[in-house]
Amino acid sequence: MARLDRHQYLIHMGYDGSRFFGVAPQPGLPTVADALRQRLEDAAGQRARALNFTARTDRGVWAEHNMATCWFLPPMNQEAFEAQVAEERDDGLVAVRAEATGFHTHARNVSAGKWYRYRVRMDGRADPRAWPLSRPLDVEMIRNLAGRFLGTHDFNAYRYKCSAPNSVKTLTHFDISEHDGVVVFDIQGDGFLRHMVRKLVAVCVLTGLGEYEAERAIHLLETGASRGTPKAAPPEGLTLMKIHRVPV
């Protein structure tokens, strides 16, 4: 039974993916969950209860905006807590904000969709947030392939070690832009499977290099195949840009 006297919070945050082994706690390894829990509990002076995340990104993946929920017991100085949570500190988290919310709010029911961005460099320059390539891509070919992934499909072939029971997802945007040797993939949809964005990017990049056939990629999509796609693109090029929130 939910406690009606608790202080429920929705936490907004970004993070430096290079500093963490993903979001979920792992014994002996730095994770986003550990860093956020420490920050929250330092500010509250008590345990953060039922800490859950909206998106559980993998090792090396960055975020401009992710969300989490948790709650605290009264008494509690909420104004002081919220101010301390937002203070800058060297813990790998950025733009942290605590928003008081209703007790029914849970991290898993606040998302109406997600926006991911993936960056690929074709100019050979070092970039800790991109997949480096030594050859140029056929960007127009990639755009044509990306457009065929739009809409509702069974993305079963485009996931890895994912236990989600439903692999049918809807992509609303799959935009490709190129500037100064950097190709940017902006992908938005109602939900994503584990490694799904990185698998989609890998297929597009290899097709743009002439190493994979576009029709094979679409055949795997249309048949709901369980395997056959290339290895996922490296995690460091991926950023969770925004969680689109369910209207309150």
Side-chain angles (χ1 to χ4, degrees), residues 23-38:
V23 166
Q26 299 186 54
L29 297 174
T31 66
V32 175
D34 293 332
L36 182 61
R37 180 177 292 279
Q38 187 64 58

Side-chain angles (χ1 to χ4, degrees), residues 119-125 127 177-183:
R119 298 174 69 250
V120 176
R121 292 208 77 103
M122 302 184 296
D123 55 11
R125 293 168 55 188
D127 188 333
S177 58
E178 188 270 330
H179 184 70
D180 290 341
V182 179
V183 179

Side-chain angles (χ1 to χ4, degrees), residues 114-116 170-174 186-190 192 244:
K114 299 179 180 71
W115 166 23
Y116 284 94
T170 299
L171 292 190
T172 56
H173 297 79
F174 198 154
D186 282 301
I187 306 175
Q188 299 187 53
D190 63 351
F192 293 88
H244 297 299

Side-chain angles (χ1 to χ4, degrees), residues 36-48 72 81:
L36 182 61
R37 180 177 292 279
Q38 187 64 58
R39 182 186 284 235
L40 294 172
E41 294 182 352
D42 286 349
Q46 62 171 286
R47 182 166 62 90
F72 301 92
F81 165 74

Side-chain angles (χ1 to χ4, degrees), residues 1-8 49 71-74 103:
M1 181 179 296
R3 290 184 59 122
L4 300 183
D5 61 339
R6 70 192 189 189
H7 296 296
Q8 180 85 12
R49 292 161 168 84
W71 58 274
F72 301 92
L73 292 172
F103 73 89

Side-chain angles (χ1 to χ4, degrees), residues 207-230:
T207 300
L209 290 172
E211 298 178 4
Y212 200 85
E213 295 182 0
E215 292 308 316
R216 183 182 179 192
I218 298 305
H219 174 74
L220 294 171
L221 178 73
E222 292 176 343
T223 60
S226 60
R227 60 181 63 87
T229 53

